[in-house]
Amino acid sequence: PYRPSKVRGVASDYVDRVGSYRIAFARKTFLLVHQYMQQCCLQSASSFYDPVAMLTVSSVVFYAARALRRLPKDVSFAAKSLYYGLGLVGVCSSLFHVLLSYHAQMADDTSMIVATSIVLQRAMTYQKTPTFTNWFSGLLLLAVITETTYHVMMDEHTVHELSFVFLIVMVAVKTRYLIKARVQRPEDKNMLQKSVIFGAGCFIFGYLLWQLDFIFCTRLTAIKRVLGIPWGFLLELHRWWHILTAVGAHTFMIMVDVLTRDRVELLEGDFTLFGGKNMMVGTKAD
């Protein structure tokens, strides 16, 4: 005889089994893709043993030290922290590409989040009340710790990448606001707006190259072996990601540093690429 309850039970059991198989398949697929991405990352990272690549990574530390030396003697620690963050990225990136270990990779990933968060904190708390500064800094620190803990324990990259992109967007938006609020001369505003576009473009293009390196890792590796040295270096997309990220970060750090001082001054040569060599004067900080 027809028993609806029994039929429903069989159907429910079938759905549960199919769902379990799909979940297991999805997990296995995710692990395989993740292992493939890790392998590609290590293959790309190993290319940093060549002198040109190591010189590029080391230059990040050099520029950070150079910027610290050029700061006024009475500058606050908050201003110095911008370039400490840049130096941290250079050191951690060098360690990862030399050691090629999991912990070094996590340090490299975390340094980018920390450095960008320092820039955002400096930009967002400019001319704000101590209460707002403390609350924002505390929440930002909590967010960084939470994201880093999740990233290290779960070895998951999607949240990490989205967090990094979100921080970059926030820094770019706030920098544009500071330019409008603090810079008076139209030519100076135009020059700094070009700097914002350049810095953001470096991040976006570098991120695109990084993703292409993951997707086409095997093909790129085969082509690089055919091309050999030195033309194969041009297809080291992982390396270009580091170079462009460093350039973009340095650009925003200089702008945020200049725009959050009591007197907005442009050091000669900082923005020569965008047509500026003169001093810019803005409103005096409260």
Side-chain angles (χ1 to χ4, degrees):
Y2 174 69
R3 296 180 181 178
S5 60
K6 184 176 182 180
V7 174
R8 284 196 298 268
V10 173
S12 177
D13 182 64
Y14 173 77
V15 171
D16 291 341
R17 290 186 179 182
V18 172
S20 300
Y21 292 149
R22 288 181 177 178
I23 293 174
F25 177 77
R27 288 178 177 175
K28 185 176 181 180
T29 303
F30 172 79
L31 291 175
L32 290 175
V33 172
H34 182 67
Q35 291 174 0
Y36 171 78
M37 293 174 64
Q38 291 284 78
Q39 182 180 4
C40 289
C41 184
L42 291 178
Q43 288 178 357
S44 299
S46 63
S47 67
F48 268 73
Y49 281 112
D50 66 86
V52 176
M54 287 305 300
L55 180 62
T56 302
V57 177
S58 301
S59 65
V60 176
V61 181
F62 168 77
Y63 277 111
R66 175 174 174 266
L68 286 171
R69 288 198 303 268
R70 297 178 66 183
L71 290 176
K73 295 182 179 180
D74 58 344
V75 73
S76 64
F77 176 79
K80 294 180 180 179
S81 64
L82 297 173
Y83 302 104
Y84 288 145
L86 182 63
L88 178 67
V89 172
V91 171
C92 292
S93 182
S94 299
L95 288 176
F96 168 53
H97 292 97
V98 170
L99 300 177
L100 295 180
S101 65
Y102 172 78
H103 294 91
Q105 180 188 357
M106 292 298 103
D108 184 22
D109 293 345
T110 302
S111 67
M112 296 190 299
I113 295 292
V114 172
T116 312
S117 298
I118 292 174
V119 180
L120 180 62
Q121 190 275 343
R122 176 70 172 171
M124 293 295 295
T125 59
Y126 173 69
Q127 287 189 333
K128 299 296 183 180
T129 63
T131 302
F132 176 86
T133 300
N134 293 335
W135 272 101
F136 182 84
S137 301
L139 291 175
L140 183 61
L141 178 61
L142 179 62
V144 171
I145 293 175
T146 302
E147 188 279 331
T148 301
T149 303
Y150 178 76
H151 178 54
V152 173
M153 294 184 64
M154 302 301 295
D155 193 17
E156 196 273 344
H157 289 264
T158 302
V159 174
H160 172 74
E161 294 175 10
L162 291 177
S163 300
F164 182 67
V165 172
F166 175 77
L167 289 172
I168 294 300
V169 171
M170 291 295 295
V171 169
V173 171
K174 186 60 179 180
T175 302
R176 287 176 60 89
Y177 170 79
L178 290 174
I179 292 173
K180 294 179 180 179
R182 301 222 61 204
V183 182
Q184 299 174 350
R185 294 171 52 188
E187 56 269 28
D188 292 335
K189 287 186 177 182
N190 182 56
M191 179 192 64
L192 288 179
Q193 294 291 1
K194 290 180 181 179
S195 301
V196 173
I197 296 174
F198 174 77
C202 286
F203 280 114
I204 295 173
F205 188 56
Y207 182 79
L208 175 63
L209 293 180
W210 185 25
Q211 297 305 309
L212 291 176
D213 188 57
F214 281 145
I215 298 172
F216 302 104
C217 176
T218 304
R219 296 181 183 179
L220 289 173
T221 301
I223 296 175
K224 285 183 288 186
R225 289 174 179 173
V226 173
L227 293 177
I229 299 175
W231 302 112
F233 292 157
L234 297 177
L235 296 179
E236 291 287 353
L237 303 186
H238 184 86
R239 178 200 302 172
W240 287 111
W241 149 252
H242 281 274
I243 295 174
L244 292 171
T245 301
V247 172
H250 191 235
T251 301
F252 277 109
M253 286 177 180
I254 291 177
M255 285 191 291
V256 172
D257 178 28
V258 169
L259 293 170
T260 54
R261 295 182 186 179
D262 290 345
R263 185 179 180 85
V264 181
E265 295 180 353
L266 177 64
L267 297 177
E268 185 176 358
D270 277 346
F271 296 91
T272 304
L273 177 64
F274 308 101
K277 294 184 179 180
N278 301 323
M279 177 184 295
M280 299 179 302
V281 180
T283 58
K284 188 175 180 60
D286 294 336

